[in-house]
Amino acid sequence: MRALLVGECRAGRLAEEISELSGFAVALGAEASMLLVGSLDDLPAFEGRLYFADSREYGEYNPEAHKRLVMEAVGRERPDAVVFLHSSYGWDLAPRVAAAMKAAQVSGVTGIDGGGYTVDSCNGKMKRTVSPLTPNVVLTLQSGAFSSPKLSGVPEVVRIDADPGSKVEFLGCTQPEEVVDLSRARVIVSAGRGVGKQEHVDLVRELAAAFGGEVGASRPVVDAGWLERSRQIGITGQSVAPELYVACGISGAIQHVAGMKGSGFILAVNTDQDAPIAEAADVFVVADLVQFLPALTARLKARHGGSF
Amino acid sequence: MNILVCIKQVPDMGGRFAPNTFGTWFDDAGLVFRMNDCDEYAVEEAVRLKEQLGGTPEVTVLSIGPARVVETIRKALAMGCDRGVHVDDPSASERDPWQISSMIAGHAMSRQYDLIFTGMQSEDRGSAQVGVLVAERLGISCVTGTIGFGWRDGIVTAERELEGGLRGMMRLAAPALLTCQQGLNTPRYPTLPNIMKSKKKEVAVLRPEEVGLDGSLSSVAGFRTHEHKAAGLVLKGDSGDIADQVVALLDSKTTVLRRGGVR
Ligand SMILES: Cc1cc2nc3c(=O)[nH]c(=O)nc-3n(C[C@H](O)[C@H](O)[C@H](O)COP(=O)(O)OP(=O)(O)OC[C@H]3O[C@@H](n4cnc5c(N)ncnc54)[C@H](O)[C@@H]3O)c2cc1C
Ligand SMILES: Nc1ncnc2c1ncn2[C@@H]1O[C@H](COP(=O)(O)O)[C@@H](O)[C@H]1O
């Protein structure tokens, strides 16, 4: 098995998670090469052939040109598998490469299962094994699913070129506006869509206050405008690791869990016992948060004579 | 101007899932079906653009699936789409993204859509492939994970969601396909008069072979429950009793209830 691993840069820096690509290649027992559109000053410590193109020339986000570069490397390397991270770069580029190769694509791979790959289904409640029927396969890896060995090698850099043109013009990036830094909070109590309505966010606020902690949120709560965007936790928000994380009405989608699974102790409150958050939780309370949160808040307040 | 929106009907994720006889997908029994989350943003954005342009664009909504998906097409019509296309495919859940994209592209090929909106990914399959594959088949530009959209004289400006709260800004000319992500807009609830009106809107029914069904590139097996790691303790019953147990657990397993520990 030969695998071409596609690395990536974000905002001018090599994405750390690309070591997971190597972890996957090891798990697969594959002979790996890598492709990177990036900078010669910031190369991965990858032991092997590194097909390289400069991002000053090809842009960081230019899927049309990057597709041509990947196809150039595919032509030289003839890999059985082309492997991306399931990131905003990977899920965008992978199907373009799969279409060009007429190869099966398996998205969000979490495991290897015989000749197939395990992926989540139904927002993480179920899973299934997808097997390619084509000689080659394109894969995107779910973040955190494979080990990330520390890379310590010297790449053999092979420069490649392709037409850099694109019909899509990249105008640049914007940073999130306000920043609430949740990384120092010892306790975070997060509201999910299960809070049901804006008024119930107060139940989450009150519990957070009783702990002397911060309020976090899942994405739908932020999208609904119930809490500030900067409180979003997950792959497109902040990554946090407080001593205690309380997930209230949060189903546990992998994109959310990726941002809080490093927490010391996880308490989940959910009416659905099958919700995937159960996998991350140390304690899973099967209850309606409208009843349970005030009950817990009252006990904390009683202990501390009102507040901390 | 012509706009296409692709929507998928998916089960409500709160339901209990059980594998079908072949273990290739879930059994429909007992599940409640609705529009895929991201696809609501796609419908809303198309309808907003129609309104912005004084109602001139014609918005077609397409869904591939068994007879029940017509209910979801009706919802999109009630939200403001003009006409529906139902590709009646009882085996849709057995198709891979390559096949689904072959049918959508087959339909779109001769119709000169200026814009196509899809969801970024479906909640049940979660492949995030169909939209991009359709664009590749049609040879049109594509932006994925769209969370901001603007349109002026045939030029699209799109904001794309990146990691850690970063947003990328893009400019591109129609024809283009955008895969829509949560946060793009707030989808409307259909009003009663619009629900009544939608009942009169046309829904064309097509067979998969008519739109062009390709062979599959992958197969699925072992559709199964995601076993949750057993480490966690599950507490059920009276909220007050559970709260007492939780306080005791936090006392023994964490330091968060100790005074003066707050940073
Ligand atoms: C590319 C991409 C990036 C993403 N990035 C992020 C991210 O950074 N952060 C993020 O959070 N999400 C992110 N998401 C979205 C993610 O996939 C989920 O859609 C989202 O996390 C779901 O939020 P939720 O758990 O609050 O809502 P839901 O999934 O709707 O879950 C609500 C839960 O509440 C429970 N519930 C309902 N009523 C009650 C009640 N009365 N009491 C107790 N429980 C109740 C339900 O059983 C359910 O489990 C991203 C998605 C994509 C595709
Ligand atoms: N059966 C279908 N009918 C119509 N559109 C679909 C169908 N399946 C997927 N799509 C579209 O493709 C998007 C991505 O789906 P997926 O690749 O399955 O994650 C969805 O959000 C829909 O917009």
Side-chain angles (χ1 to χ4, degrees):
Chain A
M1 184 80 155
R2 291 160 69 84
L4 174 67
L5 313 177
V6 183
E8 59 185 270
C9 286
R10 281 181 211 142
R13 300 198 47 199
L14 198 60
E16 273 172 30
E17 304 92 296
I18 66 168
S19 56
E20 292 176 18
L21 295 166
S22 290
F24 173 78
V26 170
L28 196 62
E31 188 192 320
S33 55
M34 193 180 269
L35 175 141
L36 181 74
V37 184
S39 159
L40 275 180
D41 305 331
D42 194 12
L43 290 180
F46 175 77
E47 186 69 45
R49 240 183 328 281
L50 178 72
Y51 293 95
F52 175 82
D54 200 317
S55 54
R56 280 174 305 189
E57 200 175 335
Y58 293 95
E60 205 167 88
Y61 177 80
N62 179 346
E64 287 168 58
H66 288 207
K67 175 179 80 177
R68 292 182 207 113
L69 290 166
V70 175
M71 292 310 292
E72 173 65 26
V74 164
R76 298 194 191 194
E77 195 66 23
R78 308 228 158 265
D80 303 289
V82 182
V83 193
F84 297 82
L85 296 170
H86 195 68
S87 59
S88 63
Y89 180 79
W91 70 61
D92 187 272
L93 189 51
R96 304 178 200 248
V97 170
M101 293 175 70
K102 268 246 165 63
Q105 183 187 333
V106 189
S107 310
V109 172
T110 58
I112 299 165
D113 184 4
Y117 303 93
T118 324
V119 300
D120 278 359
S121 313
C122 301
N123 272 355
K125 276 190 156 183
M126 309 295 288
K127 58 183 176 181
R128 64 190 195 278
T129 301
V130 184
S131 303
L133 301 172
T134 50
N136 306 304
V137 66
V138 172
L139 305 170
T140 65
L141 306 184
Q142 195 57 257
S143 76
F146 294 92
S147 68
S148 47
K150 192 157 167 41
L151 301 181
S152 59
V154 182
E156 175 202 330
V157 176
V158 180
R159 274 187 173 267
I160 50 170
D161 293 296
D163 170 8
S166 172
K167 296 191 295 273
V168 179
E169 188 187 351
F170 183 65
L171 305 174
C173 279
T174 52
Q175 294 280 351
E177 319 83 47
E178 3 71 285
V179 177
V180 180
D181 183 11
L182 299 178
S183 66
R184 290 174 55 83
R186 207 168 151 212
V187 177
I188 297 176
V189 184
S190 283
R193 179 141 58 187
V195 298
K197 48 182 170 183
Q198 183 152 27
E199 295 88 275
H200 289 163
V201 175
D202 287 339
L203 303 176
V204 174
R205 281 205 187 90
E206 283 154 19
L207 179 60
F211 275 119
E214 282 282 0
V215 176
S218 73
R219 169 160 195 161
V221 167
V222 164
D223 286 341
W226 297 347
L227 281 168
E228 306 95 293
R229 176 147 313 270
S230 55
R231 293 191 183 273
Q232 181 178 315
I233 288 163
I235 57 165
T236 43
Q238 298 194 43
S239 279
V240 296
E243 184 181 351
L244 171 66
Y245 188 90
V246 188
C248 311
I250 293 178
S251 62
I254 192 144
Q255 295 91 353
H256 184 84
V257 172
M260 47 65 86
K261 63 175 183 234
S263 305
F265 194 84
I266 298 172
L267 171 66
V269 184
N270 202 305
T271 42
D272 178 6
Q273 199 181 330
D274 300 330
I277 190 77
E279 175 139 12
D282 296 287
V283 174
F284 188 84
V285 171
V286 185
D288 186 335
L289 61 88
V290 179
Q291 262 119 49
F292 177 74
L293 298 189
L296 183 57
T297 305
R299 276 156 185 80
L300 296 177
K301 281 190 174 162
R303 262 173 83 112
H304 295 290
S307 70
F308 279 90
Chain B
M1 179 176 187
N2 285 317
I3 302 174
L4 177 68
V5 189
C6 302
I7 61 170
K8 182 176 185 183
Q9 189 187 53
V10 298
D12 188 273
M13 295 300 148
R16 294 212 84 158
F17 294 92
N20 63 16
T21 331
F22 308 104
T24 49
W25 201 234
F26 50 74
D27 188 341
D28 279 8
L31 297 175
V32 180
F33 287 86
R34 58 162 169 81
M35 197 185 304
N36 181 44
D37 196 52
C38 290
D39 303 355
E40 292 213 17
Y41 301 93
V43 170
E44 178 66 30
E45 204 59 35
V47 171
R48 284 191 190 187
L49 181 57
K50 179 182 169 77
E51 289 166 351
Q52 178 195 322
L53 298 178
T56 47
E58 189 186 56
V59 182
T60 302
V61 55
L62 174 148
S63 189
I64 303 165
R68 61 172 153 73
V69 309
V70 175
E71 294 157 43
T72 304
I73 294 177
R74 290 276 168 217
K75 175 169 183 192
L77 294 174
M79 286 171 77
C81 295
D82 298 300
R83 48 190 296 272
V85 173
H86 171 213
V87 179
D88 188 7
D89 184 5
S91 307
S93 63
E94 304 289 324
R95 313 286 190 209
D96 68 10
W98 179 252
Q99 293 181 291
I100 298 289
S101 73
S102 71
M103 292 187 265
I104 298 175
H107 162 82
M109 197 70 80
S110 56
R111 281 179 182 72
Q112 316 258 300
Y113 288 110
D114 300 279
L115 287 174
I116 302 178
F117 292 98
T118 73
M120 138 141 202
Q121 67 175 42
S122 54
E123 291 166 86
D124 51 359
R125 193 198 301 271
S127 82
Q129 290 179 34
V130 168
V132 189
L133 290 175
V134 169
E136 289 295 301
R137 284 171 176 275
L138 296 173
I140 62 176
S141 305
C142 172
V143 173
T144 62
T146 310
I147 50 169
F149 173 85
W151 168 271
R152 228 179 129 180
D153 305 330
I155 302 294
V156 172
T157 45
E159 263 183 287
R160 171 158 204 265
E161 179 172 66
L162 311 174
E163 280 70 18
L166 273 183
R167 295 163 160 239
M169 298 283 292
M170 246 68 62
R171 183 160 53 209
L172 59 156
L177 185 146
L178 296 111
T179 83
C180 303
Q181 163 69 315
Q182 285 177 349
L184 174 60
N185 52 42
T186 310
R188 69 194 66 193
Y189 292 101
T191 60
L192 195 56
N194 286 343
I195 293 173
M196 299 314 288
K197 264 198 255 168
S198 74
K199 296 201 171 29
K200 298 203 195 70
K201 292 181 179 170
E202 177 210 327
V203 177
V205 183
L206 300 169
R207 283 175 299 109
E209 305 74 49
E210 280 177 88
V211 281
L213 173 63
D214 260 3
S216 58
L217 304 184
S218 61
S219 69
V220 174
F223 185 86
R224 57 203 186 273
T225 308
H226 203 144
E227 315 87 31
H228 297 310
K229 75 164 187 266
L233 178 65
V234 178
L235 300 176
K236 285 193 238 190
D238 174 71
S239 278
D241 294 344
I242 311 175
D244 287 329
Q245 294 177 55
V246 166
V247 171
L249 281 162
L250 293 178
D251 257 337
S252 62
K253 310 262 186 199
T254 75
T255 65
V256 298
L257 297 184
R258 300 195 191 135
R259 256 172 194 284
V262 184
R263 274 191 232 168

